[in-house]
Amino acid sequence: MNFSIMRVKALFMKELKDYYRNPNVLITFLAPVIFICLLGFIPHKSANLSMFLFNLSLNYGIGFICLPSIAMLIAEEKEKNTLDVLTLSSVTSIEFLISKILLPFSLSLLALLISFISFKINIKYLPEFFIIELMCIISVIIIGATIGMLCDNLTSSSMISIIVLIFIMAIPSFSNANRIFNTAANFLGSYHSNLIIKNITNGYSIFYSKYSLFIVFIWIIIPIFIFILSYNKRQL
C-alpha cells in the first residue's frame, strides 16, 4: 500500500484536536523542555559537571518527551478502540507512527537546541551532534510506540514505559560502579550515544567509535521491526 501524506496530515490534525481536549498531554510534553531550560541556569564551572548536566538534559529531554507519552497515546487509542478502526482501514503502520511522533519529535529537537545553547557547546560540533541525537530521538520514540502497541491498556503502558526509561537512563550513569552495570551499559544505545557525544566534544569524529554507532543503529532497527509486526498483526 502506498504512503499517503494526506492520510498522515489527517491523522496529525486528529492528534492536535486530542491534545486540545486533553491539555495534560501537552504538559507532559512541555515539562521536560522547561526542566532543560532550568538546568542551563545551574552553575557548572567544572568541565565534568558541565558534561554531566549536558548529558542529563539530553537524556531527560529525549526520554521523558518521547517514551512514556508515545506509549500512553497509543495505548489510549487501543482503549478507545480507535486503533482497531485505523488498522482495519487504509492507514499503514508508518503513516500511523509518523502522525503520532510529529509533535514529540519537534519538541525533542527544540530540547536539543536549548541544551546546545545553554551549555555553550562549540557550534562546529552541531552537525555531528545533531545526527547522533536525531538517531536517539527516533530510537526512543519507536521504543515508546512499540510499548504502546504491546500493552493492553493505559496503566500497563505507563508503568512499563517508566520502568524501561529508568533502565536505559540509570544504567549508563552507574556504568563505572561495577562490572555488571558496565556490561549491561555496553548493550544500551543511550550509553553509547553519550559516549559518542563525549568523543565529539573532545574533538573526535562521529565515526571514532564505530561499535557505538552500530549499537545506536541497532536500537532503531529492532524497535521498528517489532512495531511494524505488532501493528500489522492487528490488521489480520
Side-chain angles (χ1 to χ4, degrees), residues 203-227:
Y204 295 103
S205 165
I206 192 174
F207 299 105
Y208 178 74
S209 177
K210 293 182 176 61
Y211 176 75
S212 294
L213 270 179
F214 173 75
I215 295 297
V216 173
F217 185 71
I218 287 296
W219 274 79
I220 296 175
I221 296 302
I222 293 177
I224 286 179
F225 181 73
I226 297 173
F227 175 82

Side-chain angles (χ1 to χ4, degrees), residues 79-219:
E79 283 194 343
K80 293 178 179 177
N81 294 322
T82 52
L83 182 59
D84 289 331
V85 175
L86 292 173
T87 54
L88 293 173
S89 67
S90 57
V91 177
T92 67
S93 57
I94 299 299
E95 290 168 349
F96 175 75
L97 181 61
I98 291 175
S99 68
K100 282 291 182 185
I101 71 175
L102 277 177
L103 182 61
F105 181 79
S106 302
L107 289 175
S108 296
L109 292 181
L110 175 62
L112 289 179
L113 183 60
I114 292 173
S115 297
F116 198 87
I117 295 172
S118 298
F119 291 92
K120 299 179 177 62
I121 306 299
N122 195 316
I123 193 67
K124 70 178 182 180
Y125 301 133
L126 183 58
E128 292 179 312
F129 168 87
F130 181 80
I131 291 171
I132 190 62
E133 291 305 315
L134 186 62
M135 293 174 67
C136 293
I137 290 173
I138 294 171
S139 173
V140 173
I141 283 177
I142 299 169
I143 291 171
T146 303
I147 291 172
M149 287 296 300
L150 296 177
C151 291
D152 294 327
N153 52 60
L154 192 59
T155 303
S156 61
S157 69
S158 59
M159 289 180 60
I160 293 175
S161 61
I162 292 297
I163 292 172
V164 171
L165 183 59
I166 293 173
F167 178 79
I168 63 178
M169 289 180 63
I171 287 184
S173 301
F174 295 99
S175 59
N176 294 325
N178 57 53
R179 185 178 297 177
I180 296 176
F181 280 110
N182 185 262
T183 301
N186 272 285
F187 292 97
L188 295 177
S190 54
Y191 170 78
H192 286 281
S193 65
N194 289 343
L195 182 61
I196 294 172
I197 289 296
K198 183 178 180 181
N199 289 337
I200 291 172
T201 54
N202 285 333
Y204 295 103
S205 165
I206 192 174
F207 299 105
Y208 178 74
S209 177
K210 293 182 176 61
Y211 176 75
S212 294
L213 270 179
F214 173 75
I215 295 297
V216 173
F217 185 71
I218 287 296
W219 274 79

Side-chain angles (χ1 to χ4, degrees), residues 4-139:
S4 172
I5 294 293
M6 295 302 295
R7 283 196 293 265
V8 173
K9 182 180 177 180
L11 288 170
F12 180 64
M13 295 307 295
K14 170 188 169 296
E15 288 297 310
L16 292 181
K17 291 178 181 178
D18 290 341
Y19 296 148
Y20 179 77
R21 287 192 290 264
N22 185 10
N24 291 332
V25 176
L26 281 178
I27 294 173
T28 304
F29 283 147
L30 292 174
V33 179
I34 296 172
F35 176 77
I36 290 172
C37 292
L38 294 176
L39 274 181
F41 289 102
I42 297 177
H44 40 273
K45 296 181 180 179
S46 70
N48 288 335
L49 178 59
S50 179
M51 181 55 65
F52 172 78
L53 292 175
F54 181 55
N55 285 329
L56 177 64
S57 70
L58 294 179
N59 293 335
Y60 183 87
I62 294 174
F64 280 92
I65 290 174
C66 299
L67 203 153
S69 55
I70 291 293
M72 290 187 286
L73 283 173
I74 294 179
E76 187 179 24
E77 294 275 13
K78 294 172 69 175
E79 283 194 343
K80 293 178 179 177
N81 294 322
T82 52
L83 182 59
D84 289 331
V85 175
L86 292 173
T87 54
L88 293 173
S89 67
S90 57
V91 177
T92 67
S93 57
I94 299 299
E95 290 168 349
F96 175 75
L97 181 61
I98 291 175
S99 68
K100 282 291 182 185
I101 71 175
L102 277 177
L103 182 61
F105 181 79
S106 302
L107 289 175
S108 296
L109 292 181
L110 175 62
L112 289 179
L113 183 60
I114 292 173
S115 297
F116 198 87
I117 295 172
S118 298
F119 291 92
K120 299 179 177 62
I121 306 299
N122 195 316
I123 193 67
K124 70 178 182 180
Y125 301 133
L126 183 58
E128 292 179 312
F129 168 87
F130 181 80
I131 291 171
I132 190 62
E133 291 305 315
L134 186 62
M135 293 174 67
C136 293
I137 290 173
I138 294 171
S139 173

